[in-house]
Amino acid sequence: MGSLGTYGEQVCIGGSFVLTSWGELAAQAASFDEDFLVADVNPDYGGPLDHPLAPEVFDRPLVGWNALVQGLSETIDQMGFTQAAVLVDGTLGSSAVATLATDALGPTNVHALLVTGANDRLDASARKLVENLRLPVRELPMAALSPDLALAADLAKAHLAALAREEGAMPLSNLDKTAMALETMPGMLAPAGLAPLGDVYRSTVLDLVHTRNTISPVISRDSCRAFEVPAIPGVEECGPTPEQRLGFVDYVLASHIEWARALSDIADIEGHPQVVSAILDRLATCQPGRMSCCLVIVMSTCTLDDAPWPLGMAWRDRPRTKAERADKLMGSAVSLGEDVDDAIAKCSSSETEASARRELPRRHARSLRRSAIPSRTCVGSSTSCETCLSRAGLPPTSQRAAAEGTARAAAPAVAECLATAPTGAPSRRTENALPLGAWYARLERTF
């Protein structure tokens, strides 16, 4: 069953289907539309069906664009608005948001604030876009704001908020997920309203725009190329073109946020460990700035809010080699303590106890041969490992062999320990012998 509609920030697109137990598609409902589906399938029938359906071809950018259109339309309606205000400056993000709002609400319900003066080619592209979309426009020259581009951008956001308040519309931000992750620094002016692309990476926005242009080419080529790669040290080495460098940055972000991969794992796959480290450092640095960002429409399995970085973190991860991360030497000896506890719990007689005492060290000796675990100082005692082995009943020659640090030398020591270990009822144990559980625990910690 696939739900249809927008629930909070989640967008559901429908598309329910019936699949037989042998893997054929028996029925499928429409996506992005309400549908009533009835299908009769006999689970005892082994197939094949007389008329199986062919699954629809999944076009990810087209489905993504339609999901954003549905989510934006229903989210604005749920928030009590019928109109939206957008800032158009000819860049990729502003062109995508303006087109998305027009598809979702209709051109008469979208008010455009046209910001000009930064670039003649982008100014022409922005004017052409609002003309193609047939939007009501209010022009705002940047020269009238400030010669400082950063200050002019902040003032343009304030003018957008004023236009939205005047028209009773919801202001839409042009931020995408890449910008919210790496470009929303603490202290920046927080955007108001709703960010339709706030959970979509910039490289995906580029794919969405290309797909939308196949329906009707409203966004110019200059606007499609008008995007910035986040200013990360060394990112120029990650690809010859801006699209490839942007793809690298977005892949690192998706690997860490959606797929929960560690820094070293990402560097092993993609290379450029210093660039990967710089990207994740910037992601952590921007965490306080993201706390004041606007709402987003959820389009991924994990949003930036779902994967927060703890505030006040005093350390940063670094790329580590495989040798540093491979802690395999400890892995195969960990299970001995659990085996001992289980065996002791099942011991209801001295005969069963003696049987467990004979079996478990043999299993431990075989584990040592396979794992080649070097010996180390016993962490559970202030004395040396040889002393621990002595207390366990090993003679001096076996103590030295066990302390040499290899499984080949340690295995005979364990075997000899089996022969010298106390046997029989507890009253017959030697003076230096430990209780059964403690003796096994010390033997395990020795290796």
Side-chain angles (χ1 to χ4, degrees):
M1 291 292 293
S3 300
L4 179 66
T6 303
Y7 303 92
E9 298 175 343
Q10 298 285 340
V11 180
C12 302
I13 65 173
S16 302
F17 60 90
V18 178
L19 195 67
T20 65
S21 58
W22 55 90
E24 288 185 312
L25 185 63
Q28 184 173 15
S31 300
F32 302 103
D33 196 6
E34 293 183 356
D35 199 357
F36 182 73
L37 190 65
V38 178
D40 293 328
V41 177
N42 184 0
D44 298 328
Y45 175 62
L49 295 176
D50 294 334
H51 302 287
L53 298 180
E56 294 181 1
V57 177
F58 181 69
D59 188 336
R60 184 181 295 273
L62 182 60
V63 172
W65 183 268
N66 290 333
L68 285 169
V69 168
Q70 174 188 297
L72 179 58
S73 173
E74 296 182 356
T75 299
I76 287 182
D77 180 68
Q78 292 170 7
M79 297 176 73
F81 293 90
T82 58
Q83 302 182 80
V86 297
L87 189 151
V88 181
D89 57 7
T91 59
L92 174 68
S94 71
S95 302
V97 170
T99 307
L100 184 65
T102 304
D103 290 353
L105 306 174
T108 59
N109 293 319
V110 180
H111 303 273
L113 179 65
L114 184 62
V115 180
T116 59
N119 184 292
D120 293 339
R121 298 181 66 178
L122 292 184
D123 292 347
S125 297
R127 290 192 174 93
K128 186 64 176 178
L129 176 67
V130 296
E131 179 182 342
N132 290 337
L133 298 177
R134 303 188 181 188
L135 302 180
V137 180
R138 178 179 298 181
E139 187 167 347
L140 180 66
M142 292 192 69
L145 298 176
S146 173
D148 186 347
L149 295 181
L151 178 58
D154 290 341
L155 292 175
K157 295 176 185 177
H159 279 271
L160 177 65
L163 174 62
R165 184 170 56 250
E166 178 182 333
E167 299 292 343
M170 167 63 68
L172 301 182
S173 171
N174 296 333
L175 289 179
D176 52 38
K177 193 170 187 176
T178 305
M180 296 183 75
L182 303 177
E183 298 173 352
T184 309
M185 301 298 292
M188 293 180 60
L189 180 64
L194 175 67
L197 303 177
D199 198 32
V200 181
Y201 291 106
R202 192 168 298 165
S203 55
T204 305
V205 174
L206 189 59
D207 295 336
L208 294 175
V209 167
H210 289 321
T211 300
R212 177 58 178 82
N213 271 353
T214 62
I215 301 173
S216 59
V218 296
I219 301 175
S220 69
R221 293 183 179 180
D222 289 334
S223 293
C224 291
R225 293 191 291 262
F227 63 88
E228 293 183 356
V229 179
I232 303 295
V235 74
E236 297 81 8
E237 303 174 359
C238 300
T241 65
E243 289 82 2
Q244 292 176 333
R245 294 192 289 270
L246 178 62
F248 178 87
V249 172
D250 287 344
Y251 180 84
V252 172
L253 291 174
S255 298
H256 185 70
I257 298 170
E258 273 87 354
W259 308 327
R261 288 177 178 165
L263 187 158
S264 299
D265 295 331
I266 303 172
D268 285 344
I269 297 172
E270 289 296 307
H272 306 287
Q274 301 305 322
V275 181
V276 174
S277 179
I279 292 172
L280 298 187
D281 282 347
R282 179 74 63 82
L283 176 66
T285 302
C286 292
Q287 171 64 18
R290 289 193 295 271
M291 297 179 67
S292 59
C293 281
C294 49
L295 298 175
V296 303
I297 298 174
V298 176
M299 293 292 293
S300 68
T301 57
C302 184
T303 66
L304 290 167
D305 290 336
D306 294 334
W309 194 281
L311 293 178
M313 183 69 75
W315 57 271
R316 290 288 187 268
D317 199 0
R318 63 176 179 82
R320 291 172 291 171
T321 63
K322 292 183 179 180
E324 291 180 285
R325 294 183 287 130
D327 195 13
K328 298 179 180 178
L329 296 179
M330 296 292 297
S332 57
V334 173
S335 62
L336 178 64
E338 297 176 356
D339 292 342
V340 171
D341 292 339
D342 293 340
I344 293 175
K346 295 178 182 178
C347 285
S348 58
S349 65
S350 60
E351 180 180 355
T352 307
E353 180 181 351
S355 176
R357 184 164 56 244
R358 290 192 300 271
E359 175 60 23
L360 288 175
R362 292 191 183 98
R363 187 184 310 171
H364 184 54
R366 291 194 298 268
S367 176
L368 286 173
R369 295 190 193 102
R370 289 194 304 267
S371 59
I373 302 174
S375 63
R376 62 183 187 279
T377 301
C378 177
V379 297
S381 174
S382 59
T383 58
S384 66
C385 292
E386 293 186 7
T387 303
C388 294
L389 290 171
S390 176
R391 295 182 63 187
L394 287 177
T397 56
S398 298
Q399 296 173 24
R400 289 192 297 272
E404 287 179 2
T406 63
R408 189 180 300 275
V414 175
E416 189 170 354
C417 178
L418 299 181
T420 58
T423 59
S427 60
R428 297 176 57 188
R429 290 175 182 159
T430 62
E431 181 180 357
N432 292 331
L434 297 174
L436 181 63
W439 184 75
Y440 288 143
R442 285 203 183 273
L443 184 60
E444 180 196 10
R445 288 197 297 266
T446 300
F447 300 101

